[in-house]
Amino acid sequence: MRKIILSVIAILVLVGGYFGAKKIIASKKSFKPRAEKVVKTVFASVVKNETVKIVVPANGNLQAKRRVALFSEVQGVFRGSNKLFKTGTAYNRGETIIRIDAAEYTANVQSAKSNLYNQLTSIMPDLRLDYPDIFPKWETYLNSFDLNKSTPELPELVTEKEKFFITGRGILTSYYNVKNLEQRLSKYRISAPFKGVLTEALVTEGTLVRSGQKLGEFINTDAYELEVAISKTFSDLLTIGKRVALSSLDDSKTYEGKVVRINGNVDQATQTIKAFIEVKDKNLKEGMYLEARLDAKEETNAIEIDRNLLLESNQIFVVRDSILDLIDVRPVYFSDKKVVVKNVPDGTTIMAKPLIGAYTGMAVKVFKEKAVTDSQGS
């Protein structure tokens, strides 16, 4: 009997444990965390349409407005002068830059001048006897003839008899031969055509200079020109004499120039027109890199925004009741980083900085509002 009772109790315990465990398992509930809706923060601006000044940027390197390439037209040994023929040497107008040894050629010139003087002397007796009326002017000319100075111009030949007589004695031939030699003698000395600086020196003292050889370059440091390429779109807005603001690469120094020339030809490859801006400043050097800002025109009822805010479909994101939406705009001018757009109503809240993954209908929270004015672009 005892064993039967214990067996029954064991069976009841097992059955009760089975149904109890099943009930506990059935009553267990799994809780899943609720996904929180993330609202991203955006930077926004409240639009205020104003007049936007469109400034066309351009850049280039300075070139001296006046420059002279020094070439030799004669042959000889390069001789030194008062200043060394070295890069950076400054010369005043009329000062000798290059002097080539002309001792031998000078002797030839003096010989030719002496022959002319002898010819003039030989005709004086005949002039006194046959042409007493013209004798005084030729006597005056002969007295003014100096072998150490430039040959003076011959007296004017008035009558036919005078022309035949002077020409028949070979005076005109000798005179023009002397003037030709004197002209060539002047090429042994190259003087500065203006005040400036030597920027290139290709010979040194004692060098044998040959005819046609380049000797160096000489520039005027008072005025420089900046060559810039402007889009043909603004070609009708550029005028001669227009003032232009210039700045160095790091914007540490600013200068003022003016448009002095505009090329009438459009570059077919780039569709640009070259303009030349003159600038004067004692601190400028040839080859300096400058940036120019040309005031092209003013666009009314427009705003200026970052280029990365404009989508390829010419749309921008706006915020309406904390929801992103798209509106169509009309871009009128693109710069490197900015774009000028129109057709954005006043008071519209636009996205001021790009948001990764932005889409229409996206819930956002505005971080800060500020008015879009023309001053932002400048």
Side-chain angles (χ1 to χ4, degrees):
M1 183 61 70
R2 183 180 179 184
K3 290 182 180 180
I4 295 174
I5 295 173
L6 290 175
S7 299
V8 172
I9 294 173
I11 293 173
L12 292 175
V13 172
L14 291 175
V15 173
Y18 171 77
F19 285 103
K22 190 175 181 180
K23 185 177 182 181
I24 293 174
I25 295 173
S27 63
K28 185 178 179 181
K29 296 181 180 179
S30 59
F31 295 93
K32 295 183 180 180
R34 178 180 297 179
E36 296 183 2
K37 189 175 183 180
V38 179
V39 179
K40 292 188 177 182
T41 302
V42 296
F43 291 88
S45 304
V46 179
V47 171
K48 182 181 179 183
N49 285 281
E50 291 188 355
T51 300
V52 179
K53 182 181 292 186
I54 295 180
V55 179
V56 180
N59 51 65
N61 296 94
L62 286 179
Q63 294 290 332
K65 186 175 182 179
R66 300 184 65 187
R67 65 187 309 111
V68 174
L70 305 175
F71 284 88
S72 174
E73 297 183 59
V74 295
Q75 179 173 313
V77 177
F78 178 67
R79 298 300 184 189
S81 58
N82 295 333
K83 295 182 179 180
L84 290 176
F85 188 76
K86 299 289 185 181
T87 302
T89 304
Y91 296 89
N92 294 318
R93 179 183 175 88
E95 194 172 0
T96 300
I97 302 178
I98 295 172
R99 186 171 64 88
I100 300 174
D101 189 4
E104 181 179 353
Y105 196 82
T106 301
N108 293 333
V109 175
Q110 291 299 99
S111 176
K113 291 174 70 175
S114 179
N115 290 335
L116 175 61
Y117 184 81
N118 291 338
Q119 286 180 297
L120 291 171
T121 304
S122 64
I123 66 171
M124 296 309 292
D126 294 336
L127 286 176
R128 181 189 292 273
L129 294 175
D130 300 333
Y131 304 98
D133 53 334
I134 63 174
F135 173 78
K137 70 176 181 180
W138 283 97
E139 184 180 28
T140 301
Y141 177 79
L142 186 63
N143 293 334
S144 65
F145 199 99
D146 189 345
L147 293 176
N148 296 321
K149 296 181 181 179
S150 178
T151 304
E153 187 178 352
L154 289 175
E156 183 181 0
L157 304 179
V158 180
T159 63
E160 292 294 330
K161 291 182 178 181
E162 183 181 8
K163 292 178 182 179
F164 293 151
F165 179 79
I166 297 299
T167 302
R169 296 300 181 93
I171 301 298
L172 289 180
T173 302
S174 298
Y175 170 78
Y176 287 114
N177 180 52
V178 169
K179 297 303 290 185
N180 179 56
L181 293 175
E182 287 182 338
Q183 181 67 25
R184 188 163 184 81
L185 179 62
S186 67
K187 300 181 185 299
Y188 282 82
R189 173 182 175 272
I190 300 178
S191 57
F194 44 75
K195 182 179 178 181
V197 173
L198 190 68
T199 58
E200 185 180 24
L202 302 178
V203 293
T204 57
E205 296 180 10
T207 303
L208 176 61
V209 176
R210 302 186 182 277
S211 179
Q213 180 180 348
K214 185 177 182 180
L215 308 177
E217 283 194 1
F218 185 71
I219 68 169
N220 179 266
T221 55
D222 292 336
Y224 296 90
E225 283 186 346
L226 181 70
E227 180 182 336
V228 295
I230 306 299
S231 172
K232 68 174 185 178
T233 307
F234 304 104
S235 60
D236 57 335
L237 303 174
L238 285 176
T239 56
I240 301 296
K242 190 178 185 66
R243 295 290 172 178
V244 181
L246 304 172
S247 62
S248 57
L249 187 60
D250 56 357
D251 289 331
S252 60
K253 293 184 179 180
T254 58
Y255 310 94
E256 185 181 60
K258 66 177 180 179
V259 180
V260 292
R261 298 195 314 278
I262 300 174
N263 195 347
N265 181 38
V266 177
D267 190 320
Q268 295 183 0
T270 61
Q271 290 298 296
T272 58
I273 296 176
K274 290 183 178 180
F276 298 86
I277 303 170
E278 180 182 332
V279 56
K280 297 180 180 179
D281 193 281
K282 62 181 181 180
N283 296 320
L284 294 175
K285 302 292 182 183
E286 187 174 61
M288 285 181 61
Y289 182 87
L290 293 182
E291 294 183 343
R293 296 176 62 85
L294 301 169
D295 294 333
K297 62 178 180 178
E298 293 182 348
E299 195 70 45
T300 59
N301 295 322
I303 61 172
E304 188 176 38
I305 60 175
D306 293 337
R307 287 192 63 164
N308 50 14
L309 294 177
L310 181 67
L311 304 181
E312 294 181 358
S313 56
N314 289 340
Q315 293 178 314
I316 62 173
F317 278 106
V318 298
V319 181
R320 293 175 177 169
D321 298 328
S322 300
I323 301 296
L324 287 184
D325 195 7
L326 288 172
I327 63 170
D328 296 324
V329 296
R330 181 167 65 90
V332 293
Y333 174 71
F334 290 89
S335 64
D336 293 340
K337 298 180 180 180
K338 299 286 186 177
V339 57
V340 179
V341 298
K342 305 188 72 171
N343 297 343
V344 183
D346 284 335
T348 303
T349 302
I350 66 173
M351 196 163 61
K353 291 185 178 181
L355 179 63
I356 299 176
Y359 57 89
T360 304
M362 181 179 182
V364 294
K365 179 175 63 175
V366 175
F367 175 74
K368 185 180 180 181
E369 294 186 353
K370 57 182 178 179
V372 176
T373 63
D374 179 49
S375 61
Q376 290 178 325
S378 59

